[in-house]
Amino acid sequence: MTGAGGTSETYDLAIDPARSTLDTAVRVAKLAEAARFDALFTADLLRFDAQGAIGSQEPLVFVSALSQVTKRIGLIATVSSTFHHPFNLARLFGTLDHVSNGRAAWNLVTSSIGEENFGAGELPSPEERYARAAETLDVVNALWDSWEPGALTSGADGKAVLRRDRVHPIHHSGRFFTVTGPLNIPPLPQRRPVQIQAGQSAAGTALGARYAEIVFTSLPTLDHALDFTRKIRDQARSLGRADGLPLIFSSFHATYGATEAEAQRLVREKRESIDFERGRVQLADMLGGGVDLSELPLDATLPESLLPDVTSVNRRRGRADIFTGYARQGYTLRELIIAAQDTGHWAAAGTPEQLADAVEERFRAGVLDVISLSGLADPRQHDFVVNGLLHELRRRKIVAADYTGTTLRENLGLELPARDTAPVRV
């Protein structure tokens, strides 16, 4: 666990779309809690097409259901600040924190798709989306802090006693929102749910440096991880935040084998199954869209004329930065399509011990605090993850063997941020 000087692990609750049922999710959640994972992570996509997961569930409703069949594991819901109002977000995540007894976390995204389902108009620029996200967080945090300690207590007769003088409006009037407050639900078990933010563009990094307790990242190589961690923590430090914040949260696309040869065989089989024509479309998306790769030979490098100006990309700018960088390093179209299968995330193959080496390298370099693993629903994967990789990481004192508290914040070793005591800045 982070609080014990180690890394934390979350389970990526990726349900097979053809069998996307609560029963399946409950089974996975119980397996993850039995293995002492710190949290379940639910992603979200807001469009029905090749980019999205058919049968994707609404994350807050889904993890609320899971909160009733688990006791200790954290519940991370991905919700967009671009398409939701901060007063509703404060109530939704506040309620999740209550029904889970302090296990809620919000993975804030600004969304790169889905605008057609939330009214007319184009997707706002990244700068506009992150400006809205910043104001959203100001409002939400002020609402969560609008109840002072002792505002709600139990009387001698066991009934609730409300001290109205300890509950305050926030009187927010900003560029995007006008919210008077205060919040109309009682103080939360964690006071504030754990705040996670996803986004690696310059605007996303600035938001994470200012607000995030944890940043969810796509850092395919150690060099990427070192560069990103230095940048975001330097910014955070300049804003007066404590050293070591925000925590770095990386997904880990692992291919397990009982031997190194088996793992490499599985990698080869995966690559041999790639549909390279569909891969051209996927790579174009990684480059920000609008790039025509249909006529380029697979073993050719991408000419500079096809590479976008990353600062002008409106969708998934962080991924565009990664893949234009690969292209400028001389990757062929074939190699780029292969790399795009992991969508810019960290991928490795080997035995559990070899994969533990890869995790330990980043942990010792100070660029990994939380790691996302998947595969518990499959018996073979479950064995490799729990009895292989996690066992080895625990043996090396990188991951704690058990929960250390009752709330997610305690299990992640995160202190409560300072309370907002005045109306939020605009």
Side-chain angles (χ1 to χ4, degrees):
M1 301 285 185
T2 303
T7 190
S8 294
E9 72 279 5
T10 70
Y11 183 75
D12 186 355
L13 192 66
I15 304 300
D16 180 346
R19 296 179 286 111
S20 186
T21 66
L22 184 59
D23 288 345
T24 303
V26 167
R27 182 166 65 90
V28 171
K30 289 182 175 180
L31 287 169
E33 188 165 72
R36 297 302 188 261
F37 277 78
D38 292 302
L40 297 167
F41 179 88
T42 58
D44 196 23
L45 290 164
L46 300 173
R47 174 185 293 171
F48 179 90
D49 64 5
Q51 286 184 312
I54 298 170
S56 181
Q57 307 286 359
E58 199 291 314
L60 275 164
V61 175
F62 213 57
V63 296
S64 292
L66 297 179
S67 74
Q68 302 306 292
V69 295
T70 56
K71 293 181 179 179
R72 303 293 291 278
I73 197 164
L75 303 161
I76 305 170
T78 298
V79 179
S80 173
S81 61
T82 300
F83 302 123
H84 292 82
H85 191 282
F87 189 78
N88 285 338
L89 287 167
R91 297 183 73 236
L92 288 165
F93 277 98
T95 301
L96 176 62
D97 208 46
H98 276 294
V99 301
S100 67
N101 294 315
R103 294 184 283 140
W106 175 17
N107 179 42
L108 182 152
V109 296
T110 62
S111 295
S112 61
I113 58 173
E115 70 275 10
E116 70 277 11
N117 295 317
F118 293 88
E122 296 294 321
L123 184 71
S125 70
E127 290 74 20
E128 186 86 352
R129 299 200 303 272
Y130 281 111
R132 178 187 169 106
E135 189 174 334
T136 295
L137 285 168
D138 275 338
V139 173
V140 168
N141 286 334
L143 287 168
W144 285 333
D145 289 352
S146 61
W147 292 58
E148 290 183 30
L152 190 66
T153 59
S154 294
D157 58 0
K159 294 182 179 180
V161 177
L162 174 65
R163 289 280 305 272
R164 289 184 175 273
D165 61 326
R166 297 188 179 185
V167 184
H168 307 285
I170 66 169
H171 297 302
H172 175 88
S173 180
R175 176 182 171 193
F176 297 95
F177 308 108
T178 298
V179 180
T180 299
L183 192 61
N184 63 343
I185 62 174
L188 315 186
Q190 296 185 104
R191 205 189 87 217
R192 293 182 187 179
V194 174
Q195 294 182 15
I196 305 171
Q197 181 260 331
Q200 291 172 220
S201 66
T205 301
L207 184 78
R210 179 178 172 189
Y211 295 97
E213 296 174 287
I214 305 172
V215 289
F216 181 70
T217 60
S218 303
L219 302 170
T221 69
L222 179 60
D223 285 343
H224 281 108
L226 288 165
D227 182 61
F228 176 80
T229 302
R230 176 186 55 78
K231 286 179 180 177
I232 197 166
R233 286 187 174 158
D234 282 352
Q235 289 187 46
R237 197 175 300 110
S238 73
L239 294 168
R241 301 190 67 191
D243 287 344
L245 288 178
L247 303 184
I248 306 300
F249 175 12
S250 288
S251 60
F252 189 44
H253 292 196
T255 301
Y256 298 90
T259 64
E260 183 178 4
E262 181 187 29
Q264 293 306 319
R265 175 179 60 79
L266 293 171
V267 170
R268 286 195 304 272
E269 290 175 356
K270 180 180 177 181
R271 289 181 178 179
E272 289 167 358
S273 70
I274 294 173
D275 180 341
F276 281 92
E277 292 312 304
R278 184 173 180 179
R280 293 174 189 265
V281 177
Q282 184 180 14
L283 177 60
D285 178 59
M286 293 296 103
L287 292 169
V291 179
D292 184 3
L293 302 172
S294 60
E295 301 300 323
L296 191 69
L298 283 173
D299 293 311
T301 57
L302 273 63
E304 186 68 30
S305 60
L306 285 181
L307 301 181
D309 174 5
V310 173
T311 61
S312 68
V313 171
N314 197 26
R315 303 177 192 271
R316 308 177 87 175
R317 191 175 284 180
R319 306 290 171 84
D321 187 51
I322 289 170
F323 282 91
T324 54
Y326 284 160
R328 291 192 172 102
Q329 291 174 38
Y331 281 40
T332 65
L333 176 58
R334 185 188 305 275
E335 291 168 334
L336 287 166
I337 289 172
I338 290 171
Q341 302 308 297
D342 289 301
T343 63
H345 288 278
W346 175 26
T351 65
E353 293 78 11
Q354 289 171 322
L355 293 171
D357 290 341
V359 173
E360 183 171 13
E361 179 183 37
R362 292 203 183 193
F363 172 69
R364 301 297 178 200
V367 298
L368 179 66
D369 302 292
V370 182
I371 187 170
S372 178
L373 305 173
S374 60
L376 290 191
D378 175 80
R380 179 179 182 275
Q381 287 284 97
H382 180 279
D383 187 46
F384 277 123
V385 172
V386 175
N387 300 320
L389 178 58
L390 277 185
H391 174 78
E392 185 64 20
L393 292 175
R394 284 169 174 150
R395 187 187 69 79
R396 302 182 191 192
K397 309 298 184 186
I398 294 173
V399 170
D402 203 351
Y403 298 114
T404 58
T406 59
T407 69
L408 178 58
R409 184 173 291 281
E410 289 170 335
N411 285 326
L412 293 174
L414 289 169
E415 296 181 359
L416 278 169
R419 179 180 294 276
D420 284 344
T421 57
V424 295
R425 53 193 173 276
V426 295

